[in-house]
């Protein structure tokens, strides 16, 4: 199990997001957790009969599983993970809400998704304060 990140490391990651638009938290979670998620996502893909959506935005060769929070404790741990939540709260604030938890598997020969921002539907002039902070977990 990983341990909570030191305050100065959280500050550095938040600053990187503000400056560069992203940060990378190396070794944010241990390999046992990654293996468990990978195996369970494979199981869900089979059991749910997940197939690509076949549209230009979601992809013709991309497998997506939405609403993972209903799939149990393994996924409930993700949004409150001790090495990631402090950074998200530093970018947004402690009152942030989760809007989605999904799995996305991009298969070979997939076309690139159009560049977009996930806050595009909110009619605010840019630049504006951060409204969205996505995390991507490479497993």
């Amino acid at each position: 199990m990983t341990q909570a990140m030191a305050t100065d490391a959280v500050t550095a990651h938040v600053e990187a997001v503000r400056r560069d638009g992203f940060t990378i938290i190396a070794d944010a979670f241990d390999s046992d957790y990654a293996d468990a998620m990978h195996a369970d996502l494979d199981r869900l893909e089979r059991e749910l009969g997940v197939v690509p959506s076949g549209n230009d935005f979601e992809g013709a060769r991309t497998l997506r599983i939405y609403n993972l929070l209903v799939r149990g404790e393994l996924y409930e741990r993700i949004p409150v993970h001790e090495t990631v939540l402090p950074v998200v709260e530093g970018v947004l604030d402690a009152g942030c809400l989760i809007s989605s938890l999904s799995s996305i598997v991009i298969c070979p020969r997939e076309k690139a998704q159009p560049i977009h921002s996930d806050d595009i539907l909110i009619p605010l002039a840019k630049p504006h304060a951060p409204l969205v902070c996505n995390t991507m977990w490479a497993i």
Side-chain angles (χ1 to χ4, degrees), residues 41-129:
L41 290 167
D42 283 348
R43 176 191 65 81
L44 286 171
E45 285 176 10
R46 286 188 312 274
E47 289 180 6
L48 298 173
V50 176
V51 296
S53 295
N55 62 57
D56 288 340
F57 189 78
E58 290 186 306
R61 292 181 171 88
T62 297
L63 304 174
R64 296 171 184 264
I65 304 172
Y66 294 104
N67 203 15
L68 287 173
L69 282 176
V70 302
R71 303 293 173 186
E73 187 272 336
L74 185 66
Y75 305 104
E76 292 168 5
R77 292 168 35 198
I78 292 173
V80 295
H81 199 276
E82 65 269 4
T83 59
V84 178
L85 181 58
V87 176
V88 172
E89 288 178 332
V91 171
L92 300 174
D93 67 39
C96 61
L97 301 173
I98 185 169
S99 62
S100 69
L101 183 61
S102 307
S103 167
I104 302 173
V105 177
I106 302 171
C107 299
R109 298 180 315 281
E110 179 63 274
K111 289 182 186 177
Q113 188 182 54
I115 293 178
H116 66 283
S117 63
D118 285 349
D119 67 356
I120 198 159
L121 297 176
I122 302 169
L124 292 174
K126 291 186 176 28
H128 56 72

